[in-house]
Amino acid sequence: MTTMGIDPAQLSDEDLLRELRQLHTTRTDTFLHGSDDALARHTSRTNEMESEYLRRYPEREIDPNRLREGARAR
């Protein structure tokens, strides 16, 4: 995997979260209006950042309402 920009492993927790929020904010616009290359890069960068987050927080809090059982209860 080739990283463009700062390697996510080098980011502080705060910077990693900020980058993830920014990527998620710009996703729809990139999907709807970006070139194929821009969309591919956005996808790969998002995957890099999300993988790093999951590596750091394997036991992250899971909202029970986001599980199948919780959705059925609603």
Side-chain angles (χ1 to χ4, degrees):
M1 170 173 33
T2 302
T3 298
M4 289 179 58
I6 297 173
D7 181 346
Q10 302 301 313
L11 295 172
S12 67
D13 289 350
E14 181 180 317
D15 289 339
L16 179 63
L17 285 171
R18 185 190 69 244
E19 292 297 320
L20 277 167
R21 285 186 184 103
Q22 181 62 27
L23 284 164
H24 285 268
T25 297
T26 59
R27 181 62 183 181
T28 301
D29 196 47
T30 304
F31 178 73
L32 293 175
H33 307 291
S35 66
D36 290 345
D37 287 343
L39 181 58
R41 183 64 201 125
H42 195 281
T43 299
S44 65
R45 188 63 170 167
T46 300
N47 288 340
E48 291 171 1
M49 295 291 177
E50 288 177 348
S51 293
E52 178 60 21
Y53 182 87
L54 292 173
R55 186 190 70 75
R56 292 183 194 188
Y57 301 101
E59 301 297 324
R60 71 192 193 287
E61 181 180 337
I62 305 296
D63 181 347
N65 292 317
R66 300 292 299 182
L67 300 174
R68 197 172 287 155
E69 218 174 89
R72 287 185 186 132
R74 285 191 300 256

